[in-house]
Amino acid sequence: MTTALANGVDTGALFATIDAVKADPRIAEFRFRATNTWVSGTHNRSTIDGFYGATQEMNHAEPRSYDADHPAVLVGADHGPTGPEFLLHALAACLTGGIANIAAARGVTLTEVSSTVEGDIDLRGILGLDEGVRNGFSQIRISFHLRGDDPAKLRDVVERSAARSAVLDVLTSGVAVRIDVDGG
Amino acid sequence: MTTALANGVDTGALFATIDAVKADPRIAEFRFRATNTWVSGTHNRSTIDGFYGATQEMNHAEPRSYDADHPAVLVGADHGPTGPEFLLHALAACLTGGIANIAAARGVTLTEVSSTVEGDIDLRGILGLDEGVRNGFSQIRISFHLRGDDPAKLRDVVERSAARSAVLDVLTSGVAVRIDVDGG
């Protein structure tokens, strides 16, 4: 489909997708996936490639691998960021993609979107030193800088993206996680 | 410090860190961070480098950047995985790092740790087509395959890692997220 791009978003294709899902809700059932392999110490690597969606197994343009590790101060070899840091990236990525789509759908011009996301964590939780301290972040903050259309419109776009963000929803409301173990 | 490595984990350094935090809890106050910049459409890029911890600003071994995007079926250019897929990677990475540390601390041998993590999401939520459908994952499942010591010990290690995982805690219990906007 060839349509005009708004902020790099193909709004014709976006609206066509919404119409297709209205006609057949099964198109909207997605299952995302990552596989992870331990390397050594806290160093491990995930690969993201296949996913299920639009009633079929699909693949990304290419398989991509991401190393994770602990920094030296946390007794790792720093072959990559920690899991919690990837979680912050996931949040920024989800909100920013939503901002671009929503701005395009509304005809709001964007010239610049950047953000800094940070999370506070007291490691006495995961070190098992204080049962009153949680394991995860006590708070996450994300600060957006946008330029383009008038400030009120830009703020409304961020607000709508937050109201429709998959990652923000999971982080603020939680999700059931099932863990299975094959130990041999 | 030179100590024996167990599963690639420097257990001497690990126990020394725990002792240091016991002596001064401020060492355990960490703040992780990512910065994100919109590229075009749903394509954006995060950089992870600096963090605060052990009472000072620190940096990873090198700054690292991660592209995120939507796949073509979701009207993106597929320059990278989606935010929700990075969230699955974050979970696998956090649990696997914990497994390695806990196994080492307990003297449990690991020869192999791999996992597949998947999450179900009905996109009618984020598309705004059904207010009864949540935006995020309805469920996440992670399936571990471990080899090394006897199966009961390996299962116990996974259970303990889950009980001390920063990412699992945030995903299952949620966290407050504050969003600030500078719209010009």
Side-chain angles (χ1 to χ4, degrees):
Chain A
M1 184 184 306
T2 304
T3 55
L5 296 183
N7 304 324
V9 174
D10 184 339
T11 51
L14 184 61
F15 292 131
T17 298
I18 293 172
D19 287 341
V21 171
K22 279 181 186 164
D24 183 356
R26 290 175 308 161
I27 293 173
E29 291 167 13
F30 273 62
R31 178 169 293 172
F32 288 118
R33 201 178 294 139
T35 57
N36 183 282
T37 305
W38 174 56
V39 181
S40 178
T42 47
H43 180 202
N44 60 85
R45 183 178 296 131
S46 290
T47 299
I48 296 172
D49 184 14
F51 60 95
Y52 178 87
T55 77
Q56 62 200 287
E57 276 296 320
M58 308 190 82
N59 288 85
H60 277 287
E62 56 183 355
R64 299 181 179 97
S65 293
Y66 301 95
D67 287 68
D69 200 351
H70 287 193
V73 68
L74 297 175
V75 200
D78 207 339
H79 290 285
T82 61
E85 288 167 299
F86 277 110
L87 187 147
L88 298 178
H89 161 52
L91 177 63
C94 191
L95 287 169
T96 302
I99 287 168
N101 270 342
I102 291 161
R106 294 181 174 187
V108 172
T109 302
L110 295 176
T111 55
E112 202 182 330
V113 184
S114 61
S115 60
T116 298
V117 52
E118 54 182 25
D120 301 326
I121 185 167
D122 183 335
L123 299 183
R124 288 180 297 166
I126 61 173
L127 292 172
L129 295 177
D130 188 334
E131 290 302 325
V133 174
R134 72 177 298 181
N135 294 318
F137 289 122
S138 56
Q139 195 195 35
I140 293 174
R141 293 171 300 281
I142 182 162
S143 178
F144 278 101
H145 171 99
L146 290 92
R147 290 297 180 270
D149 242 317
D150 78 75
K153 282 187 187 173
L154 297 177
R155 280 195 295 271
D156 284 350
V157 165
V158 176
E159 195 174 306
R160 182 67 179 172
S161 177
R164 287 293 173 214
S165 165
V167 173
L168 183 68
D169 173 29
V170 164
L171 293 187
T172 54
S173 298
V175 59
V177 177
R178 198 181 82 197
I179 301 176
D180 295 314
V181 182
D182 163 15
Chain B
M1 186 184 308
T2 304
T3 54
L5 295 183
N7 304 322
V9 174
D10 183 339
T11 52
L14 185 60
F15 293 132
T17 297
I18 292 172
D19 287 341
V21 171
K22 278 181 186 164
D24 184 357
R26 290 175 307 160
I27 293 173
E29 293 168 11
F30 274 62
R31 178 169 295 173
F32 289 118
R33 200 177 295 138
T35 56
N36 182 281
T37 304
W38 175 56
V39 181
S40 178
T42 47
H43 179 204
N44 60 85
R45 183 179 297 131
S46 289
T47 299
I48 296 172
D49 184 13
F51 60 94
Y52 177 87
T55 77
Q56 61 200 286
E57 276 296 319
M58 308 192 81
N59 288 85
H60 277 286
E62 55 183 355
R64 299 180 180 98
S65 293
Y66 301 96
D67 287 69
D69 199 351
H70 288 193
V73 68
L74 296 176
V75 201
D78 207 339
H79 289 286
T82 61
E85 289 167 298
F86 278 108
L87 185 147
L88 298 178
H89 160 52
L91 177 63
C94 191
L95 288 168
T96 301
I99 287 168
N101 270 342
I102 291 160
R106 293 182 176 186
V108 172
T109 301
L110 295 176
T111 56
E112 202 183 328
V113 184
S114 60
S115 59
T116 298
V117 53
E118 53 183 26
D120 301 326
I121 185 168
D122 183 335
L123 299 183
R124 287 179 297 166
I126 60 173
L127 292 172
L129 295 176
D130 188 334
E131 290 301 325
V133 175
R134 73 177 295 182
N135 295 320
F137 289 123
S138 56
Q139 196 196 34
I140 293 173
R141 293 172 299 281
I142 182 160
S143 178
F144 277 101
H145 171 99
L146 289 92
R147 290 297 180 269
D149 242 318
D150 78 77
K153 282 187 187 172
L154 296 177
R155 279 194 296 271
D156 284 349
V157 166
V158 176
E159 196 175 304
R160 183 67 178 169
S161 177
R164 287 293 173 214
S165 165
V167 173
L168 183 68
D169 173 29
V170 165
L171 293 188
T172 54
S173 299
V175 60
V177 178
R178 196 181 83 197
I179 302 175
D180 294 313
V181 183
D182 164 14

